[in-house]
Amino acid sequence: QVQLVESGGGLVQAGDSLRLSCVFSGRTFSNYRVGWFRQAPGKERELVSTISTGGSPTYYIDSVKGRFTISRDNARNTVYLQMNSLKAEDTAVYYCAAEGKVGTGKYEYFGQGTQVTVSS
């Protein structure tokens, strides 16, 4: 069973940076596409970014392009989300996610989430 554990969230000011980390266990990490979702209060969970097994291609929603960077270290079973120039609207619980089955692109495994709060 895949397990995902996020860390790195916190309270920052607008314009600051944070790096989220997520450790994957239970299966062979390098076989899985992984990504980050977020859910803001009163809103549905949305996909923020994904990364393929070898590190590319990557995907970003428009609102974070140029500010967020996703990366992975297959030797450490870890995926990262570097978030720069944070805005108040980035405030949300961020969830690491992995495909349910290799190659499907359907994200069915989620971590417990880490809170990111950006004060304006």
Side-chain angles (χ1 to χ4, degrees), residues 30-104:
S30 59
N31 289 343
Y32 286 78
R33 277 182 281 188
V34 290
W36 292 91
F37 288 71
R38 68 185 180 186
Q39 187 166 20
K43 295 187 177 181
E44 293 189 356
R45 187 166 57 189
E46 65 175 351
L47 177 62
V48 175
S49 181
T50 64
I51 186 166
S52 292
T53 55
S56 65
T58 56
Y59 162 82
Y60 301 93
I61 56 171
D62 286 346
S63 59
V64 308
K65 284 181 180 177
R67 300 188 298 120
F68 289 12
T69 303
I70 191 170
S71 61
R72 64 190 295 162
D73 184 341
N74 286 343
R76 296 179 183 270
N77 293 347
T78 302
V79 57
Y80 304 97
L81 186 67
Q82 177 68 43
M83 305 186 295
N84 298 331
S85 303
L86 282 161
K87 303 176 181 180
E89 50 264 43
D90 295 318
T91 294
V93 178
Y94 283 72
Y95 298 91
C96 179
E99 294 178 299
K101 291 184 179 180
V102 171
T104 63

Side-chain angles (χ1 to χ4, degrees), residues 1-2 4 24 27 31-34 37 97-110:
Q1 182 76 356
V2 170
L4 301 162
F24 175 108
R27 292 287 188 273
N31 289 343
Y32 286 78
R33 277 182 281 188
V34 290
F37 288 71
E99 294 178 299
K101 291 184 179 180
V102 171
T104 63
K106 290 183 62 176
Y107 292 85
E108 298 180 1
Y109 296 110
F110 291 87

